[in-house]
Amino acid sequence: MALTQSKFRTTEQLNTAFARKITKLLRDGIEENGRASLVVSGGRTPADLFNTLSKSSLDWTKVDISLADERWVDNSDDASNEKMLRTKLLINNAANANFVPLKTQHGDAEDAVLTCTENLQKMRTPFDVLILGMGEDGHTASLFPCSKQIAEGLDLESGNAFIAVQPTTAPNQRMSLTLPALLNSNQIFLHLTGESKKEVLDKVLSDDDAMVMPIRAVINNADVELVWAP
């Protein structure tokens, strides 16, 4: 497994080049399989990238989009990853994509694991493109090093696609794809911006313990391309 790096001088250059690359991969997926799939992380970091990507010339009606994780809040809440996607990615040309949400009407995330697993059948797998982020503590998706669920989430033999997570260092219950579900991707990107995230990544690469730095579990088990701008 290998980590390759694509560094850009500015986030604007990153967004332009990365959106172009994602578009090509999705277009190739459509040509080869009739449909393509894109799974992304939420948060604030990718918002401008998504806005750029939303304008790409592509048959978005043949693209399935979903999230690597979701905060268990109302869809109108600013903390909702779905809200961010609907306002930053599922607009312009990309408004025609097939969005598969994680948030359901269930009372909590644990009750929704089965429904999310069933909804995943609406996605083309393996995912053509997976875009992950990374927190200051090395978490990715909602696989937090401090959560009671981390061992289950990183278990390659669990057979589960989703896990409900209750982080102790972040607000809101979460729904997250498990490590084996994340790895079921043709192309995995780690999208980071800012010197502070690069410093965290340096710590990740110097420590092989995935329980301490969960993003390490992805890097240990897949070819990952780091796309980064200071």
Side-chain angles (χ1 to χ4, degrees), residues 37-226:
S37 53
L38 169 66
V39 173
V40 300
S41 291
R44 295 182 177 86
T45 298
D48 290 338
L49 167 66
F50 291 163
N51 187 263
T52 301
L53 180 61
S54 73
K55 303 169 186 174
S56 295
S57 178
L58 184 69
D59 187 353
W60 287 98
T61 64
K62 297 180 180 178
V63 178
D64 302 319
I65 297 178
S66 193
L67 287 156
D69 66 315
E70 179 60 283
R71 297 176 178 90
W72 216 249
V73 297
D74 190 85
N75 293 340
S76 63
D77 193 304
D78 287 342
S80 166
N81 287 338
E82 178 175 334
K83 180 179 180 180
M84 192 275 286
L85 242 62
R86 290 194 182 280
T87 56
K88 299 297 183 180
L89 178 56
L90 299 170
I91 56 175
N92 300 316
N93 297 338
N96 294 314
N98 171 46
F99 177 58
V100 180
L102 299 188
K103 183 66 169 65
T104 72
Q105 298 303 312
H106 293 79
D108 60 32
E110 289 185 4
D111 296 331
V113 168
L114 179 58
T115 298
C116 286
T117 303
E118 292 172 346
N119 287 345
L120 188 65
Q121 304 307 312
K122 302 173 185 176
M123 295 281 294
R124 203 195 81 76
T125 54
F127 308 133
D128 290 278
V129 178
L130 169 65
I131 305 173
L132 291 173
M134 180 187 67
E136 299 288 345
D137 58 358
H139 83 264
T140 194
S142 281
L143 301 176
F144 286 83
C146 56
S147 71
K148 295 180 180 178
Q149 298 84 11
I150 186 61
E152 183 181 352
L154 297 182
D155 183 2
L156 290 171
E157 306 299 326
S158 73
N160 298 323
F162 290 97
I163 187 171
V165 179
Q166 185 65 62
T168 58
T169 57
N172 311 125
Q173 190 182 36
R174 315 287 182 103
M175 180 70 75
S176 181
L177 284 170
T178 62
L179 178 62
L182 293 172
L183 295 178
N184 190 24
S185 306
N186 292 331
Q187 186 79 44
I188 300 177
F189 295 96
L190 178 58
H191 174 230
L192 305 178
T193 58
E195 292 289 350
S196 64
K197 289 296 181 72
K198 188 60 167 59
E199 292 173 3
V200 175
L201 183 64
D202 289 342
K203 294 179 182 178
V204 169
L205 297 179
S206 65
D207 187 342
D208 199 45
D209 189 347
M211 296 292 286
V212 175
M213 293 285 189
I215 185 61
R216 183 76 209 198
V218 180
I219 297 171
N220 285 349
N221 290 282
D223 292 326
V224 178
E225 181 175 342
L226 168 65

